[in-house]
Amino acid sequence: MSDEFKVGDIVTGIYKTGKYIGEITAIKPEHYLVKVKAVLKHPMQGDIHSPKDVNVPLFQERRALAFNEQTNVPKKMVRHYKEEVPEYKSSLREAVEKTKNDLQAEGTEWALRSLENMNVLEKDYFK
């Protein structure tokens, strides 16, 4: 699998519950180091180990990875990306809007709590 990608390739990668477009900057035995260029899916809010549960000790506010932030993405979570890479801020705005719309449609206690987090994050992201 390590022969499938090389440094400089533009890829999608899933990190925790977010999905990003980025550039591979290093190849490690189990991961690719990926520099974030755009956001495809905003991370879920709350406890990553108890998805969609509000009855957890800490309901975390989960931020999207920042522009040019580098992260280790497991090799099995990386795919080639062939389209034009969107601008980071606009991709983040689109991901936030989609997440908020999905949460509003879901309407569960977890979704409403997550929506509160997303509203706070949105103000911070786009001030």
Side-chain angles (χ1 to χ4, degrees):
M1 181 110 174
S2 61
D3 295 332
E4 191 175 340
F5 298 99
K6 63 187 183 311
V7 171
D9 282 354
I10 302 298
V11 297
T12 63
I14 296 173
Y15 178 73
K16 298 194 177 175
T17 60
K19 186 172 183 181
Y20 303 90
I21 301 169
E23 177 184 354
I24 293 177
T25 58
I27 299 171
K28 300 179 179 186
E30 300 295 321
H31 299 87
Y32 293 107
L33 187 61
V34 176
K35 185 189 290 188
V36 173
K37 297 298 178 188
V39 181
L40 289 174
K41 180 181 178 288
H42 195 281
M44 286 176 54
Q45 301 301 296
D47 185 338
I48 196 167
H49 302 293
S50 301
K52 297 194 173 189
D53 187 359
V54 294
N55 299 311
V56 293
L58 177 63
F59 193 88
Q60 290 184 302
E61 180 182 276
R62 299 200 169 276
R63 297 180 66 82
L65 296 175
F67 180 68
N68 282 340
E69 182 173 353
Q70 296 201 63
T71 191
N72 287 307
V73 179
K75 286 185 174 182
K76 65 182 179 181
M77 303 303 246
V78 173
R79 302 286 181 270
H80 284 286
Y81 187 77
K82 300 288 186 194
E83 299 171 39
E84 186 174 328
V85 177
E87 188 267 330
Y88 177 84
K89 265 297 203 228
S90 61
S91 72
L92 177 60
R93 188 177 302 280
E94 195 172 307
V96 166
E97 283 303 314
K98 181 176 182 346
T99 299
K100 287 176 61 179
N101 290 338
D102 292 347
L103 291 169
Q104 287 169 342
E106 186 169 328
T108 63
E109 186 180 357
W110 169 82
L112 296 174
R113 183 92 178 266
S114 295
L115 196 53
E116 291 173 14
N117 281 11
M118 292 302 298
N119 287 330
V120 170
L121 287 170
E122 184 177 36
K123 287 177 186 161
D124 187 45
Y125 289 152
F126 307 114
K127 49 183 160 185

